[in-house]
Amino acid sequence: MKFTGTPSYIATRDLQIAVEAAITLEKPLLIKGEPGTGKTLLAYEIARSLGKKLISWNIKSTTSAQQGLYEYDAISRLRDAQLNSDKVSNIRNYIRKGKLWEAFEAEAVPVLLIDEIDKADLEFPNDLLQELDRMEFYCYELDETISARQRPIVIITSNNEKELPDAFLRRCFFHYIRFPDADTLQQIVAVHYPGLQQALLQNAIHLFLEVREKRQLKKRPSTSELLDWIKLLLAGGTRPEELESLQLQGELPPYAGALLKNEQDLNALLYGSTHRSYYS
């Protein structure tokens, strides 16, 4: 199984090698990178490219590892017992399967996305060590060991909000998605906006990269924000020469709100400092 990208997703050679290595080693692929560089989308495109089912587990601050395995609904069972329901005799009626269980029992190899694992508490990755390593877990209520029919392709994303434990990292193949260079950005934009005027494309990317180079920025614009910005440039009929002649010092790009998401960064771009206020 080789992943070379899709018509809508430009995968660099380094990324292709990382996906292939993780599949060959049968280890989770841990993906890091700036927000907006396509970490989550990668899992969708791998599933699409390889013709696999995607099972997505979106992690929140309140998510526990147990939720990925299963949850036992004791309250519903108690309520049904009070109503003398026939369901009570079968405890399986009160077992809610989690995303890992769903992936383990899939008939064909699925792609399992564990998205933004660093949002959960510090113990979350450790609580999944055995399940991701051995591809099995024990269900106490059923007195059964649930084992994977075949090992899923596991993609784990992280925004580096928390450090992940060493024991967890040892079980993963790691790849950092570097921010695309100008040539790769042109390929990405061309996929989403085929036929875009070459002069407008080049001037927009040049200006976009110039914005990103401003060291004072708190949040540098991402690839996804570049695509939003170009959509607005096209909708507004922006001419290439308007971008070519624009001077960032003291002048904002058109539709700057697609690129810069707080007033401090607007000030930094306009004045080279966060002290003066754009709104004053």
Side-chain angles (χ1 to χ4, degrees):
M1 293 185 288
K2 290 185 178 293
F3 173 71
T4 57
T6 67
S8 60
Y9 190 92
I10 302 298
T12 63
R13 182 59 185 152
D14 286 348
L15 181 55
Q16 295 176 32
I17 290 173
V19 173
E20 184 177 343
I23 293 174
T24 300
L25 294 173
E26 296 186 328
K27 288 189 173 185
L29 175 59
L30 174 61
I31 294 288
K32 292 186 179 183
E34 288 184 34
T37 50
K39 299 186 296 296
T40 299
L41 187 58
L42 173 64
Y44 287 81
E45 297 300 329
I46 291 174
R48 176 183 173 191
S49 174
L50 302 180
K52 303 294 183 184
K53 176 183 178 181
L54 176 72
I55 298 173
S56 181
W57 185 16
N58 299 307
I59 307 303
K60 301 178 181 179
S61 60
T62 55
T63 303
S64 69
Q66 182 63 36
Q67 290 172 319
L69 307 179
Y70 69 93
E71 293 181 280
Y72 171 52
D73 191 353
I75 295 176
S76 292
R77 193 181 189 198
L78 176 61
R79 183 175 61 248
D80 288 345
Q82 293 170 341
L83 297 173
N84 295 319
S85 172
D86 294 338
K87 291 173 58 179
V88 175
S89 60
N90 188 352
I91 196 171
R92 292 181 184 273
N93 291 323
Y94 306 96
I95 299 293
R96 297 177 182 174
K97 298 177 181 179
K99 296 298 184 179
L100 265 72
W101 192 329
E102 183 182 345
F104 285 4
E105 70 176 7
E107 293 184 3
V109 175
V111 174
L112 172 62
L113 168 64
I114 304 177
D115 198 24
E116 297 188 330
I117 193 172
D118 51 323
K119 280 189 175 180
D121 65 44
L122 293 174
E123 291 305 314
F124 181 90
N126 283 330
D127 291 341
L128 288 177
L129 287 180
Q130 176 173 309
E131 289 74 15
L132 292 177
D133 194 22
R134 299 183 183 178
M135 286 291 155
E136 64 179 28
F137 63 88
Y138 185 72
C139 179
Y140 291 93
E141 289 78 7
L142 300 179
D143 191 24
E144 290 181 13
T145 296
I146 310 300
S147 300
R149 293 184 179 182
Q150 57 273 310
R151 185 175 287 266
I153 299 170
V154 181
I155 310 297
I156 302 173
T157 70
S158 170
N159 286 321
N160 253 350
E161 292 183 11
K162 297 186 184 77
E163 288 293 328
L164 298 175
D166 289 344
F168 180 81
L169 294 175
R170 284 198 302 271
R171 289 165 169 81
C172 299
F173 186 90
F174 171 74
H175 181 74
Y176 185 87
I177 297 182
R178 293 178 295 177
F179 194 84
D181 58 20
D183 290 340
T184 305
L185 283 175
Q186 288 195 36
Q187 295 179 49
I188 293 172
V189 173
V191 164
H192 293 271
Y193 302 103
L196 179 64
Q197 186 181 359
Q198 191 66 20
L200 179 62
L201 172 62
Q202 291 179 348
N203 290 349
I205 289 178
H206 176 79
L207 188 60
F208 170 77
L209 292 175
E210 192 176 347
V211 170
R212 276 185 54 88
E213 288 173 2
K214 297 294 182 182
R215 294 185 178 181
Q216 303 96 332
L217 294 185
K218 182 179 179 181
K219 181 194 177 301
R220 296 191 294 177
S222 68
T223 309
S224 62
E225 287 158 338
L226 168 63
L227 295 174
D228 288 343
W229 184 52
I230 289 181
K231 183 177 182 179
L232 292 172
L233 295 178
L234 290 172
T238 305
R239 292 174 287 110
E241 53 269 24
E242 293 178 55
L243 302 182
E244 187 176 18
S245 61
L246 191 144
Q247 300 294 322
L248 286 182
Q249 193 70 28
E251 188 176 4
L252 285 175
Y255 310 107
L259 300 175
L260 304 173
K261 302 305 172 115
N262 58 68
E263 62 274 22
Q264 292 91 345
D265 284 352
L266 285 171
N267 289 333
L269 193 61
L270 272 175
Y271 310 117
S273 165
T274 58
H275 298 299
R276 290 183 64 183
S277 176
Y278 172 68
Y279 296 97
S280 61

